[in-house]
């Protein structure tokens, strides 16, 4: 049976990929350090699954990574592991360099050493896919064309700078050693099991708890939203049909301002679980902006559509509706994630944002 070695598989997108792979009969070994964002509840449906293995540890642990490769002999390695939240990268940039840059460098080197030790027939089968972001391309103006695979890198936050560095390392391992890599640069994901530090789950959970809904600046920044299951399907398409050494942009063709997204969530909640007298949108507050806040991201995904036949299946309104239903139906997951560490992050990130702009 084909085996995929997934890193960061207890996080939001990684866990969706692990479930997707198991549904498709692929054996999975998942290495995750279980930082604040790693959550084994995301994979509890696989607790009794003999073809799924969880290993607790970091991608920077070379002995552990080498042991996994030798023991499981995967044909695919997918690197989801990362520090992923822009606001945290502003508070603590070094953690992002440690995991996203140094961790990826170690993972690449250990995979490359193992791959070199394989017979030519086995070595030919290996694929290394690095999951990256559209944020490496920087920011767009209102009328700029969307990012393509050839847009120059111009990252603006410590998070995007660390992801850009990791992307460069992945490309360099292809050029220098011939390691068979793919690179994917995806837009903003949403869906079930997303840690509620990110805009969409934060707004859903705050609204349900009658807390204010913090919108940075004027809410006019634009993001291109993609359902997480569409992202995982795109990753499978790249693994199955992609051109080695290439990068693929993945996006939802669903650009919205942040204010539009928050208002859409409020209107869905108004229908699904109305407040007594007023709309959830009355909880919206404009708060101090994110430093270096990229104005707009937009992805031109015509390459993956034309070459690999992928296209997003979820429309934004329907995807948000099902995502909100998931949070409403998983109160245990919601309760377990709102730990002391989560509350202390809310204090760190929102405590000072008390003035209206
Ligand atoms: P996440 O923060 O939800 O999950 C990250 C996971 O990585 C967690 O399970 C965490 O425990 C694990 N991890 C962190 N450091 C680790 C280490 N040193 N070794 C092993 N595991 C470690 O992130 P996500 O939103 O699921 O993003 C996954 C990947 O996709 C990231 O590389 C991110 O940059 C990229 N990405 C995310 C989005 C998005 O909208 N969320 C969009 C495009 C690309
Ligand atoms: O574009 C892909 C990227 O999308 C991924 O690489 C990142 O891992 C992921 O976190 C995401 O980055 P963003 O910074 O765009 O996502 P976030 O959910 O933090 O914010 C989305 C937008 O909403 C952004 O313009 C900032 C704004 N925002 C965010 C929060 C948390 C608010 O207005 N209020 C908030 O409280």
């Amino acid at each position: 049976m084909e085996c995929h070695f997934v890193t960061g598989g207890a996080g939001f997108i990684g866990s969706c990929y692990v479930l997707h792979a198991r549904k498709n009969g692929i054996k999975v070994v998942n290495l995750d350090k279980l930082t604040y964002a790693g959550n084994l509840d995301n994979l509890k449906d696989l607790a009794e699954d003999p073809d799924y293995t969880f290993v607790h540890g970091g991608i920077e642990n070379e002995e552990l990574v080498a042991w996994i490769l030798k023991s499981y002999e995967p044909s695919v390695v997918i690197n989801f592991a990362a520090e992923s939240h822009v606001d945290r990268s502003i508070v603590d940039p070094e953690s992002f360099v440690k995991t996203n840059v140094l961790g990826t460098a170690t993972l690449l080197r250990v995979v490359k050493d193992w791959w070199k030790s394989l017979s030519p027939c086995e070595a030919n089968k290996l694929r290394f896919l690095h999951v990256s972001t559209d944020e490496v391309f920087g920011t767009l103006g209102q009328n700029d064309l969307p990012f393509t695979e050839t847009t120059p890198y111009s990252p603006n936050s410590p998070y995007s700078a660390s992801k850009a560095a990791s992307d460069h390392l992945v490309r360099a391992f292809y050029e220098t050693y011939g390691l068979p890599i793919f690179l994917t640069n995806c837009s903003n994901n949403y869906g079930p099991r997303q840690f509620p530090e990110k805009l969409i789950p934060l707004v859903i959970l705050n609204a349900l708890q009658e807390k204010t809904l913090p919108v940075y600046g004027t809410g006019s920044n634009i993001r291109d939203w993609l359902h997480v299951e569409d992202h995982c399907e795109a990753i499978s398409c790249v693994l199955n049909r992609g051109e080695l050494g290439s990068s693929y942009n993945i996006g939802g063709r669903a650009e919205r301002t942040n204010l539009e997204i928050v208002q859409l969530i409020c209107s869905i909640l108004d229908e699904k679980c109305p407040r007594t007298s007023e709309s959830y949108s009355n909880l919206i507050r404009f708060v101090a902006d994110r430093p270096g806040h990229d104005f707009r991201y937009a992805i031109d995904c015509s390459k993956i559509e034309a070459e690999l036949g992928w296209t997003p299946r979820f429309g934004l309104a329907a995807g948000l509706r099902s995502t909100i239903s998931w949070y409403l139906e998983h109160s245990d997951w919601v309760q377990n994630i709102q730990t002391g560490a989560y509350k202390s992050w809310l204090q760190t990130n929102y405590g000072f944002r008390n003035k209206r702009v």
Side-chain angles (χ1 to χ4, degrees), residues 1-6 17-29 46 49-53 74-76 78 236 239-240:
M1 189 190 286
E2 188 183 359
C3 174
H4 289 192
F5 172 13
V6 169
Y17 183 80
V18 170
L19 294 167
H20 176 90
R22 286 301 305 121
K23 257 193 214 139
N24 289 306
I26 297 165
K27 192 170 162 176
V28 175
V29 53
L46 302 180
D49 183 341
D51 292 317
Y52 166 71
T53 306
S75 56
V76 167
I78 312 179
S236 293
L239 285 170
N240 291 332

Side-chain angles (χ1 to χ4, degrees), residues 141-173:
Q142 186 82 51
N143 300 315
D144 290 340
L145 291 174
F147 303 127
T148 68
E149 286 77 4
T150 56
T151 302
Y153 276 28
S154 182
N156 292 316
S157 72
Y159 163 69
S160 53
S162 68
K163 290 297 289 187
S166 66
D167 291 9
H168 291 317
L169 284 166
V170 171
R171 277 199 64 251
F173 269 67

Side-chain angles (χ1 to χ4, degrees), residues 59-74:
I59 54 172
E60 64 281 1
N61 184 335
E62 53 189 288
E63 290 81 17
L64 190 57
V65 171
W67 174 82
I68 291 171
L69 293 166
K70 205 169 163 221
S71 312
Y72 290 87
E73 300 181 329

Side-chain angles (χ1 to χ4, degrees), residues 84-87 133-135 159 186-189 197-200 202 214-216 221 223 225 258 290 293-294 297 349-350:
S84 71
H85 191 39
V86 174
D87 290 318
T133 168
D134 59 358
E135 300 202 10
Y159 163 69
C186 189
S187 64
N188 285 63
N189 283 210
E197 63 189 353
K198 308 279 165 55
L199 180 69
I200 288 179
L202 179 100
V215 174
Y216 295 167
N221 300 63
R223 298 292 182 264
W225 294 96
N258 292 337
R290 173 186 281 175
H293 196 174
D294 285 335
Y297 305 138
N349 195 45
Y350 298 98

Side-chain angles (χ1 to χ4, degrees), residues 45 90 112 118 161 173 179 196 354:
D45 290 353
I90 296 167
K112 183 265 293 172
L118 297 174
F173 269 67
L179 188 70
N354 48 8

Side-chain angles (χ1 to χ4, degrees), residues 40-303:
L40 289 179
D41 276 358
N42 291 346
L43 294 165
K44 65 173 189 223
D45 290 353
L46 302 180
E48 308 295 324
D49 183 341
D51 292 317
Y52 166 71
T53 306
F54 175 70
V55 180
H56 185 196
I59 54 172
E60 64 281 1
N61 184 335
E62 53 189 288
E63 290 81 17
L64 190 57
V65 171
W67 174 82
I68 291 171
L69 293 166
K70 205 169 163 221
S71 312
Y72 290 87
E73 300 181 329
S75 56
V76 167
V77 180
I78 312 179
N79 186 28
F80 292 97
E83 289 294 338
S84 71
H85 191 39
V86 174
D87 290 318
R88 288 187 193 252
S89 81
I90 296 167
V91 175
D92 176 18
E94 284 98 324
S95 310
F96 286 68
V97 175
K98 281 183 193 146
T99 288
N100 301 358
V101 186
L102 298 175
T104 301
T106 301
L107 179 69
L108 280 164
R109 203 240 318 133
V110 177
V111 171
K112 183 265 293 172
D113 288 346
W114 174 72
W115 170 69
K116 288 266 181 206
S117 75
L118 297 174
S119 68
C121 174
E122 291 302 311
N124 270 341
K125 291 185 199 149
L126 185 74
R127 303 287 179 263
F128 182 105
L129 189 147
H130 181 64
V131 179
S132 192
T133 168
D134 59 358
E135 300 202 10
V136 298
F137 300 119
T139 184
L140 294 169
Q142 186 82 51
N143 300 315
D144 290 340
L145 291 174
F147 303 127
T148 68
E149 286 77 4
T150 56
T151 302
Y153 276 28
S154 182
N156 292 316
S157 72
Y159 163 69
S160 53
S162 68
K163 290 297 289 187
S166 66
D167 291 9
H168 291 317
L169 284 166
V170 171
R171 277 199 64 251
F173 269 67
Y174 174 72
E175 295 295 336
T176 307
Y177 307 105
L179 188 70
I181 63 97
F182 299 116
L183 185 54
T184 56
N185 294 91
C186 189
S187 64
N188 285 63
N189 283 210
Y190 69 95
R193 301 177 213 89
Q194 186 168 29
F195 191 81
E197 63 189 353
K198 308 279 165 55
L199 180 69
I200 288 179
L202 179 100
V203 165
I204 298 170
L205 299 196
N206 275 18
L208 292 173
Q209 293 164 15
E210 297 279 329
K211 292 184 186 161
T212 56
L213 311 179
V215 174
Y216 295 167
T218 58
S220 55
N221 300 63
I222 296 167
R223 298 292 182 264
D224 174 1
W225 294 96
L226 180 72
H227 194 280
V228 64
E229 286 177 27
D230 279 329
H231 185 183
C232 292
E233 187 55 41
I235 289 172
S236 293
C237 283
V238 173
L239 285 170
N240 291 332
R241 300 191 287 283
E243 185 190 351
L244 277 184
S246 289
S247 72
Y248 293 88
N249 280 1
I250 306 169
R253 296 192 192 279
E255 288 185 58
R256 297 290 187 281
T257 67
N258 292 337
L259 190 54
E260 284 171 335
I261 287 290
V262 176
Q263 283 169 335
L264 182 55
I265 295 170
C266 289
S267 66
I268 297 171
L269 284 172
D270 284 339
E271 267 175 48
K272 282 189 184 279
C273 43
R275 295 174 83 200
T276 41
S277 58
E278 49 184 32
S279 164
Y280 286 96
S281 59
N282 291 339
L283 295 168
I284 294 174
R285 299 289 179 277
F286 294 99
V287 300
D289 209 349
R290 173 186 281 175
H293 196 174
D294 285 335
F295 174 64
R296 173 177 167 234
Y297 305 138
I299 278 276
D300 177 346
C301 50
S302 45
K303 178 179 171 185

